[in-house]
Amino acid sequence: MAAAEGREPLLRAGEEEREPRQRQDRYGPLGPGGRRRDVVETQEHYKSRWRSIWIMYLTMFLSSVGFSIVIMSVWPYLQKIDPTADASFLGWIIASYSIGQMAASPLFGLWSNYRPRREPLVVSTAISVAANCLYAYVHVPHSHNKYYMLTARALVGFGAGNVAVVRSYIAGATSLTERTGAMANTSACQAVGFILGPVFQTCFTLIGEEGITWKSIHLQLNMYTAPVLFGALLGIINIILIFAIFRFDCSFVSESGVLDQDAEGNIDHVAVVAVNFLFFVILFVFAVFETIATPLTMDMYSWTREKAVFYNGIILSAIGVESVIVFMVVKTLSKKTGERAILHGGLLIVLIGFFILLPWGKKLPNIQWQAIKNNSIPQTTPSEMVMPFWNLQVIQLPSNHSEPAGCPITQSWCLSTPMIYLAQYISSDILIGLGYPVCNVMSYTLYSKILGPKPQGVYMGWLTASGSGARILGPVFVSQIYTHLGPRWAFSLICGVVVVSLLVLEVVYKRLIAFSVRYGRMQEERS
């Protein structure tokens, strides 16, 4: 697949392959003053370039696996090692990954601008390996175990800040025509990592809670520690491959001395800020969607915790598969319509997806009347009631009572807000699963093209940081707006945010063009 993508811009139609091959400068066929330039890329260099890009795909995959591989077991493991930990502290542990990534992304991006990219890649991966090993040993201390777990997850997120380095390298090592396909592959690897992480965790549950213990090194190999040790092993393999295969020089264009000439001109910072805002909105609305899935279905359809986890797990897995397919299709579609038009269409699809979720009709959701009758209304905080699927067992019910099902009376809107029908929910899932990957890939692709030949490490770091911030604020939004005001207000506000992003896109639409197009070095093929 990579070979096919790489060859396309290097050969003109009807031209036979030869060694060495020539292709136009990846920032446009014309140099300063309108002079035409051709750059030679040998067959060996071409293969080496794409091998390096595939190593970056693997790094992106492992970064997302590092987040998702323990997400379903964090809460029971936390309860086991430190009974003093409560639901609010669990929220901090979940958020610590994104906080660490948000802090590290600009730092690793800046590092990659001035030093060979191999350095931040190896160091960041080594931090993730060490953090996973720390997670496996958080049971050893006699006290404050929850803080060790918090530190471990924050460091895993810090190591995942290498996403900025990965994106900047791929942007610099691909031509304009290769860029969309390479960015789509990168996002697909990230999506597959999020999908397979829980699958790996499920497989390791076969080991059980007790597992095997090596007393000499105080290591417990069980269903909680095996996933992170597996992640550490994958990280070590990744480091070896980076040393053995990865080329830390960005592209053959820079080697030829053309890069400095092409770098003349300033980046359109208005376009840069606009894409950062759009990317924040895209990640924010998807974080809200992921977080709200479980509490919404429990409230609307009277699903138990077990059913909500099971059914939503199936739905999210299906959305993940849908996203991977969309990543592949969008590569071909962008060649015909252009990235800006596809981004516009993706945002419209997301808007429709959330609009469908607005409650209509007169039928109210089932209320937890049994809880009222028994005078056992759970005394929970808003954050506990809407925590994502990994925190569904926070409410401790008396052993002689069955789990109450339906919309809790503690949420006053349950008595006045119509229910969201299952058909609405499924339709919304499908649309959001279609629109999100489209917006994700197009925002990254446009961003890299706007930056052009300029060093992209810091800029990609800020883009990654904005996405991490969105994943932190999304659950906070859910815990406040959804719990206190209900789905009508929550989804209306989300629709409003998406509308604002569409307006911003309209305002800056003509500025979201490639660096080379902006300075007249290449004509824009699509509007």
Side-chain angles (χ1 to χ4, degrees), residues 369-380:
W369 297 114
Q370 187 65 32
I372 299 174
K373 181 180 178 180
N374 294 333
N375 295 319
S376 58
I377 299 175
Q379 299 299 314
T380 57

Side-chain angles (χ1 to χ4, degrees), residues 51-337:
R51 281 196 296 266
S52 299
I53 292 173
W54 275 96
I55 295 299
M56 294 298 94
Y57 292 162
L58 173 64
T59 303
M60 181 64 79
F61 169 79
L62 294 180
S63 174
S64 59
V65 167
F67 171 78
S68 62
I69 197 169
V70 299
I71 203 65
M72 297 187 70
S73 63
V74 168
W75 177 237
Y77 190 38
L78 180 62
Q79 289 179 310
K80 180 179 180 180
I81 64 170
D82 195 336
T84 64
D86 56 13
S88 61
F89 196 85
L90 173 65
W92 281 108
I93 289 179
I94 299 300
S96 64
Y97 178 93
S98 295
I99 294 173
Q101 188 180 49
M102 183 171 62
S105 296
L107 297 178
F108 285 130
L110 180 64
W111 189 351
S112 69
N113 278 355
Y114 296 99
R115 297 289 301 170
R117 286 182 173 87
R118 178 180 291 168
E119 292 180 7
L121 286 172
V122 170
V123 170
S124 59
T125 307
I127 290 174
S128 295
V129 170
N132 281 325
C133 293
L134 173 62
Y135 187 94
Y137 278 94
V138 295
H139 65 279
V140 174
H142 297 292
S143 61
H144 304 300
N145 305 75
K146 60 184 180 182
Y147 296 109
Y148 290 102
M149 179 181 285
L150 177 69
T151 302
R153 292 302 295 168
L155 288 175
V156 171
F158 193 90
N162 60 17
V163 168
V165 183
V166 171
R167 297 279 188 184
S168 65
Y169 179 85
I170 292 175
T174 53
S175 67
L176 286 176
T177 50
E178 295 170 326
R179 190 82 45 81
T180 302
M183 286 294 181
N185 289 343
T186 307
S187 297
C189 290
Q190 189 176 38
V192 171
F194 282 123
I195 295 170
L196 291 184
V199 174
F200 292 145
Q201 170 70 81
T202 302
C203 294
F204 286 120
T205 57
L206 299 176
I207 301 176
E209 280 196 322
E210 299 302 324
I212 304 171
T213 301
W214 283 278
K215 293 184 179 180
S216 58
I217 56 176
H218 303 286
L219 177 62
Q220 292 182 359
L221 184 63
N222 53 37
M223 60 182 287
Y224 303 123
T225 61
V228 293
L229 293 175
F230 177 69
L233 176 61
L234 293 178
I236 293 172
I237 294 174
N238 192 24
I239 292 175
I240 294 173
L241 292 176
I242 290 173
F243 276 113
I245 299 175
F246 179 71
R247 289 177 56 116
F248 54 82
D249 48 77
C250 179
S251 67
F252 60 88
V253 177
S254 61
E255 292 171 359
S256 68
V258 176
L259 181 61
D260 291 337
Q261 295 176 354
D262 269 352
E264 294 176 356
N266 297 319
I267 294 173
D268 187 347
H269 285 95
V270 173
V272 167
V273 172
V275 175
N276 269 279
F277 171 76
L278 293 173
F279 188 69
F280 176 88
V281 170
I282 292 163
L283 269 291
F284 176 79
V285 298
F286 191 73
V288 170
F289 168 74
E290 283 186 310
T291 306
I292 210 170
T294 294
L296 179 68
T297 52
M298 292 177 66
D299 293 344
M300 293 294 155
Y301 315 125
S302 302
W303 288 354
T304 62
R305 294 189 293 265
E306 183 179 354
K307 284 185 177 181
V309 171
F310 179 73
Y311 293 145
N312 281 300
I314 294 175
I315 291 171
L316 290 176
S317 297
I319 290 175
V321 174
E322 178 190 12
S323 298
V324 172
I325 296 173
V326 171
F327 286 135
M328 300 298 101
V329 173
V330 78
K331 293 189 295 183
T332 302
L333 186 61
S334 64
K335 297 177 183 178
K336 299 180 180 180
T337 61

Side-chain angles (χ1 to χ4, degrees), residues 349-365:
I349 292 173
V350 172
L351 176 61
I352 296 172
F354 276 99
F355 183 80
I356 289 176
L357 276 178
L358 291 175
W360 304 101
K362 297 181 180 180
K363 184 178 180 180
L364 299 177

